[in-house]
Amino acid sequence: MRKNYLELVKLISNICLAHPLVNDVHYGIYHSSQCENIEYGAIILTPGSMDTTVNTIEYNFNLMYVDRLKADESNELEVQSNGIDVIRGIISVIAEHHSMLLDYEDTVNVNVFSRQFADNVAGAVAPIRIKAPSNLGECAWYTYHDEC
């Protein structure tokens, strides 16, 4: 079964929302920074490049877990640790439960951060790459010529 980009983003979003530490999912960093009522802990999925061959398409995203820091920032390490665990959990679900649909790349580099956006937050971010079947070689829609 093939998934297009929209279906893949929805699948990742649903997986994220199933995690007990995730209350909100946003697509794109600009959307999340403008969101006044973001519910922390939140996942922010930012798009990257897409590489395609005749049989596969490789989607690149940044997967970011963000949570609000206390005023004294005493929970920074806890939030960062939670971020690492949440990202690892989401990746595990993709790799283990959707292997028929997706071929996930094994190695993931997770980085922790603390930043001031609309709120003072911390968390973790990881670039993820997901390979999925592609129908680039199928041209059933192109019936004008007999070339397909």
Side-chain angles (χ1 to χ4, degrees), residues 14-144:
N14 288 337
I15 291 169
C16 293
L17 286 170
H19 195 285
L21 293 179
V22 176
N23 297 311
D24 212 350
V25 175
H26 293 272
Y27 176 78
I29 193 73
Y30 298 108
H31 172 75
S32 63
S33 65
Q34 297 167 0
C35 190
E36 294 178 12
N37 297 319
I38 191 167
E39 291 185 46
Y40 293 105
I43 290 290
I44 301 169
L45 186 66
T46 59
S49 65
M50 285 158 254
D51 303 310
T52 189
T53 68
V54 172
N55 298 318
T56 62
I57 186 164
E58 188 174 280
Y59 300 98
N60 293 285
F61 299 95
N62 279 317
L63 184 65
M64 182 184 302
Y65 174 83
V66 180
D67 205 348
R68 186 174 302 167
L69 290 174
K70 294 179 180 178
D72 65 359
E73 299 183 0
S74 61
N75 64 332
E76 179 180 25
L77 287 175
E78 178 184 0
V79 169
Q80 291 171 337
S81 180
N82 286 345
I84 293 167
D85 292 344
V86 168
I87 288 173
R88 290 182 69 220
I90 291 166
I91 289 168
S92 292
V93 169
I94 293 170
E96 293 176 21
H97 297 286
H98 297 281
S99 62
M100 299 300 262
L101 302 174
L102 307 171
D103 178 22
Y104 185 75
E105 293 295 315
D106 291 334
T107 303
V108 177
N109 296 314
V110 181
N111 293 297
V112 295
F113 66 89
S114 295
R115 292 210 174 92
Q116 177 71 41
F117 290 114
D119 297 309
N120 195 19
V121 297
V125 61
I128 61 170
R129 183 174 53 226
I130 298 172
K131 290 183 184 176
S134 171
N135 61 352
L136 181 65
E138 296 177 11
C139 51
W141 58 269
Y142 184 69
T143 58
Y144 192 61

